[in-house]
Amino acid sequence: MARRSRGRRTTVARTAKVSTRLVYAEGVREHIKAAIRQQEHEPVVARSDGRQASPASLKSDLMMARDEIIALRQERDRLRKAVRQQLGQQLDQVSNRQLTERIAELTEANRRLERSEAHMRAESERLTSRIASLEKDLAATRTSLRRMIRDENRC
């Protein structure tokens, strides 16, 4: 450690363009030691760069990060909205497909009922005609029976 401190003091002397005696002089030496101790506690990145980010730089980075967060949130909201719309359209298509199938089923059932109704009407007309024929026959039979009873009563 003592050797590293000496090397640092020599570097300080060269950088300051002063003699090494001045760096070792009482009063100056203590300040240099304090500065070395302070630098040992600084982050490695700041020491390796030889500089530390200024408050204005940090503030600028923070503002840029906030702007990016806002933009990302807006994009997230836009994508959520797009997904909701797509899901809604898919549900509508499924619902429309089911409704279309149901309409086709009901249309076919309606056709069957119309055919059945036409058949029943024809059957009803045939039966109505048969009833009319039978009523005529019944009326004729009654008339004939009355004549026979009258003729029988005369004799």
Side-chain angles (χ1 to χ4, degrees):
M1 172 96 172
R3 192 165 210 212
R4 276 182 33 195
S5 294
R6 282 185 195 159
R8 288 184 182 166
R9 286 187 208 138
T10 306
T11 304
V12 168
R14 269 192 233 130
T15 305
K17 296 182 182 174
V18 293
S19 73
T20 52
R21 279 191 187 169
L22 179 63
V23 173
Y24 288 102
E26 236 179 281
V28 177
R29 181 179 57 217
E30 290 77 26
H31 288 289
I32 292 174
K33 282 183 181 179
I36 290 171
R37 278 194 299 269
Q38 182 181 358
Q39 287 179 353
E40 287 176 351
H41 297 301
E42 287 181 8
V44 176
V45 174
R47 278 189 279 155
S48 67
D49 283 348
R51 59 190 166 95
Q52 192 171 9
S54 69
S57 173
L58 292 174
K59 191 174 185 179
S60 175
D61 288 347
L62 179 62
M63 287 174 48
M64 287 174 30
R66 285 181 178 160
D67 289 343
E68 185 177 0
I69 289 170
I70 289 169
L72 290 171
R73 285 180 178 163
Q74 289 172 345
E75 182 180 4
R76 178 203 60 198
D77 293 343
R78 183 183 54 79
L79 291 172
R80 277 185 179 171
K81 184 178 177 182
V83 167
R84 279 190 196 121
Q85 287 177 342
Q86 283 184 332
L87 286 174
Q89 287 175 351
Q90 287 175 355
L91 287 175
D92 287 346
Q93 288 174 354
V94 167
S95 296
N96 287 343
R97 189 177 329 122
Q98 289 174 342
L99 289 174
T100 303
E101 289 172 1
R102 182 68 177 141
I103 288 170
E105 288 173 13
L106 292 173
T107 302
E108 182 59 33
N110 191 35
R111 285 186 195 128
R112 283 193 307 265
L113 289 172
E114 285 173 348
R115 284 192 299 266
S116 177
E117 179 193 17
H119 178 68
M120 293 296 179
R121 282 186 193 272
E123 183 68 15
S124 175
E125 288 174 8
R126 187 185 67 77
L127 290 173
T128 302
S129 172
R130 176 86 172 125
I131 289 171
S133 172
L134 290 172
E135 285 176 345
K136 284 181 188 175
D137 289 347
L138 181 61
T141 305
R142 283 184 183 159
T143 304
S144 176
L145 183 60
R146 277 188 211 126
R147 280 187 201 151
M148 285 175 52
I149 291 175
R150 213 178 328 152
D151 289 341
E152 224 16 73
N153 284 339
R154 281 190 203 165
C155 299

